[in-house]
Amino acid sequence: MRRMPHDDHDHPHALLPPEPALRVKALETILTRKGLIDPAALDELIDTYENRIGPKNGARVVARAWTDPEFKAALLADATPVVADLGYYGRQGEHMVVVENTPEQHNMVVCTLCSCYPWPLLGIPPGWYKSDAYRARAVREPRKVLADFGVTLPKGTSVRVWDSTAEVRYLVLPMRPDGTEGLSEDELAELVTRDSMIGTGLAGGPS
Amino acid sequence: MTRVHDMGGRFGDGPVVPDAKGDPVFEKDWHARALAVTLASGALGKWNIDVSRHARERLSPKDYTRFSYYEKWISGLADLLVETGVLTLEDLKGEGGDAPHPLAHKAMTAEAVPSVLAKGGPADRPSNVAPAFVVGQEVRTTRPAANRFVDGGHTRLPAYAQGALGRVLLRHGAHVLPDSNAHGLGEAPEPLYAVVFPATELWADAESPDDEVVLDLWQSYLEPV
């Protein structure tokens, strides 16, 4: 058994300014001056996740699954190539599994150890997903956590919580809301909330 | 024993506070900056995702608890940059030089961002470890949850699921083993499974006897029953 070489010492990060915004700025400045990062690349990364990659991608996948049974079957059998065909592949979405909500079973996704999340389909996770409260409680008391989101499941629905402990990323396929038979795929996509694809919400429902 | 980040099942954290519709992706500008600096620094090629996760996990429990999410990222990053020799302690103090860095040719350019993100970093690998379990088979997780190579090292078996009886639900093929990869001991790919556990197996007071928790677990985390 090896010993950890860097454990129980003062950490180098303590040398940076304590205030977090200044801490980030200091590190960015040091790395930029040495040519190790390019501020234009940082702007591009931020613009990508602020404006281009987000839950609209996942919503398109869900709406398509609601309207196209063959697509849905392929998605549930092996999601990665199916969503990649739509252009949704890449960092934090290399191994996708889609899990379907039914009247009998509700699915919900968490990462108790860090903040794993399917970036190409949902973007950067919201603050609550990364919070201690969600990470600690979602596995032990998912129904109370759902209540924090205003969601109560019908009697007879069991809950299956997926703890993302590896590089596999999970997306919930929510149930299609009643009364949406006449809607187009684009209109249906509008009903697919981010939270419904994490499992803390229902499609067409709150948040 | 595991570390402070391993909080699944913990009591006392209070309510989850959902965001409001229309809230920005990044609550503060420096959050966006912290994410971008971290991703761009990864392009220098001095560590992998398991190393970077472990860098955040081994912040002291005191720091881990008091730091906000992106403070953990930026602090873990600063520690990694020094440990891998990219920066010196003098650099962090603002006393280092501005001479071009030998790794500067690796810096991520704005033009490269879309292709770097699109390429991703798949974790599946060919493996010579034969799958030991089939879908539907009962398995038990090892106990205690701990890295078997490095004392206090990185592992992805949460403490709440140690020694628990479950059933193989999915086979994911063979994936890089974080316990090895986080410590420079090689990728050591082995079969990865989604294993389902009854909530009653994990918790003293499960909310419903029909509820379940699924975890992705490597073969070496599992024993036959």
Side-chain angles (χ1 to χ4, degrees):
Chain A
M1 179 77 76
R2 297 193 186 190
R3 300 284 149 187
M4 295 268 304
H6 298 296
D7 220 9
D8 305 323
H9 291 295
D10 285 338
H11 288 275
H13 67 76
L15 298 171
L16 291 167
E19 203 279 316
L22 295 179
R23 179 166 282 207
V24 177
K25 187 71 200 161
L27 199 54
E28 180 182 340
T29 304
I30 295 162
L31 291 166
T32 303
R33 281 203 190 131
K34 290 176 177 291
L36 292 169
I37 57 172
D38 174 0
L42 304 189
D43 293 340
E44 180 70 16
L45 284 162
I46 293 166
D47 184 52
T48 300
Y49 288 112
E50 263 183 345
N51 301 312
R52 294 201 287 274
I53 299 184
K56 279 192 178 346
N57 293 359
R60 280 187 207 110
V61 172
V62 168
R64 177 93 186 267
W66 282 346
T67 53
D68 180 344
E70 268 180 49
F71 177 86
K72 178 179 157 184
L75 184 71
L76 293 175
D78 186 6
T80 311
V82 174
V83 298
D85 270 355
L86 298 174
Y88 308 141
Y89 179 80
R91 196 183 178 93
Q92 289 299 308
E94 296 92 345
H95 309 283
M96 284 303 310
V97 171
V98 174
V99 291
E100 183 186 18
N101 282 350
T102 65
E104 292 75 39
Q105 187 168 70
H106 179 85
N107 295 280
M108 191 167 146
V109 182
V110 63
C111 172
T112 63
L113 296 175
C114 45
S115 54
C116 298
Y117 192 75
W119 289 14
L121 289 161
L122 297 184
I124 301 297
W128 61 259
Y129 184 85
K130 304 177 278 203
S131 70
D132 286 6
Y134 187 71
R135 288 168 55 189
R137 293 177 53 214
V139 280
R140 181 172 52 78
E141 47 184 14
R143 291 161 189 272
K144 289 197 184 73
V145 171
L146 286 171
D148 289 345
F149 286 83
V151 173
T152 311
L153 297 174
K155 240 184 150 69
T157 303
S158 65
V159 178
R160 181 178 269 181
V161 182
W162 299 77
D163 188 356
S164 312
T165 45
E167 298 307 329
V168 181
R169 298 287 167 266
Y170 292 92
L171 185 86
V172 175
L173 175 58
M175 286 194 290
R176 180 170 172 166
D178 292 335
T180 58
E181 291 73 19
L183 297 188
S184 70
E185 206 175 302
D186 284 350
E187 288 167 329
L188 287 169
E190 293 292 320
L191 301 176
V192 185
T193 60
R194 178 200 63 205
D195 291 359
S196 74
M197 294 181 279
I198 304 172
T200 54
L202 307 175
S207 79
Chain B
M1 288 302 293
T2 53
R3 287 176 186 261
V4 61
H5 68 285
D6 183 7
M7 60 182 71
R10 186 173 75 184
F11 285 83
D13 285 281
V16 178
V17 183
D19 53 343
K21 204 173 164 68
D23 276 359
V25 173
F26 298 105
E27 196 186 316
K28 301 214 166 77
D29 286 347
W30 70 264
H31 294 179
R33 232 52 206 165
L35 175 108
V37 170
T38 304
L39 295 187
S41 299
L44 301 172
K46 298 296 280 185
W47 53 79
N48 58 53
I49 191 165
D50 298 306
V51 170
S52 63
R53 281 202 188 107
H54 189 52
R56 290 168 208 146
E57 292 166 5
R58 63 194 159 80
L59 291 169
S60 73
K62 205 184 268 179
D63 281 349
Y64 193 95
T65 306
R66 73 189 171 96
F67 283 173
S68 64
Y69 180 75
Y70 286 112
E71 279 180 273
K72 296 186 188 83
W73 274 43
I74 213 70
S75 303
L77 174 62
D79 294 343
L80 269 186
L81 286 164
V82 171
E83 287 164 13
T84 56
V86 176
L87 296 182
T88 64
L89 295 175
E90 286 64 41
D91 288 329
L92 288 195
K93 286 185 225 164
E95 296 163 4
D98 285 350
H101 196 281
L103 284 175
H105 67 283
K106 293 203 159 196
M108 189 191 287
T109 61
E111 294 71 35
V113 165
S115 64
V116 170
L117 296 180
K119 193 169 154 231
D124 56 333
R125 300 284 187 277
S127 169
N128 53 16
V129 180
F133 308 114
V134 296
V135 170
Q137 187 171 348
E138 284 203 316
V139 289
R140 190 178 287 284
T141 55
T142 52
R143 184 175 179 276
N147 187 303
R148 297 298 194 267
F149 310 113
V150 179
D151 203 22
H154 182 64
T155 189
R156 297 292 287 180
L157 173 60
Y160 78 81
Q162 64 188 356
L165 183 64
R167 172 173 54 83
V168 174
L169 188 65
L170 301 170
R171 280 170 54 166
H172 293 307
H175 281 227
V176 172
L177 180 65
D179 304 52
S180 176
N181 200 39
H183 299 282
L185 302 175
E187 293 192 327
E190 58 174 69
L192 176 73
Y193 307 86
V195 181
V196 61
F197 301 88
T200 51
E201 171 73 8
L202 304 174
W203 317 116
D205 187 20
E207 285 184 318
S208 162
D210 297 325
D211 291 352
E212 297 169 325
V213 181
V214 182
L215 295 92
D216 284 330
L217 301 170
W218 281 261
Q219 186 157 296
S220 56
Y221 296 1
L222 302 170
E223 293 161 356
V225 176

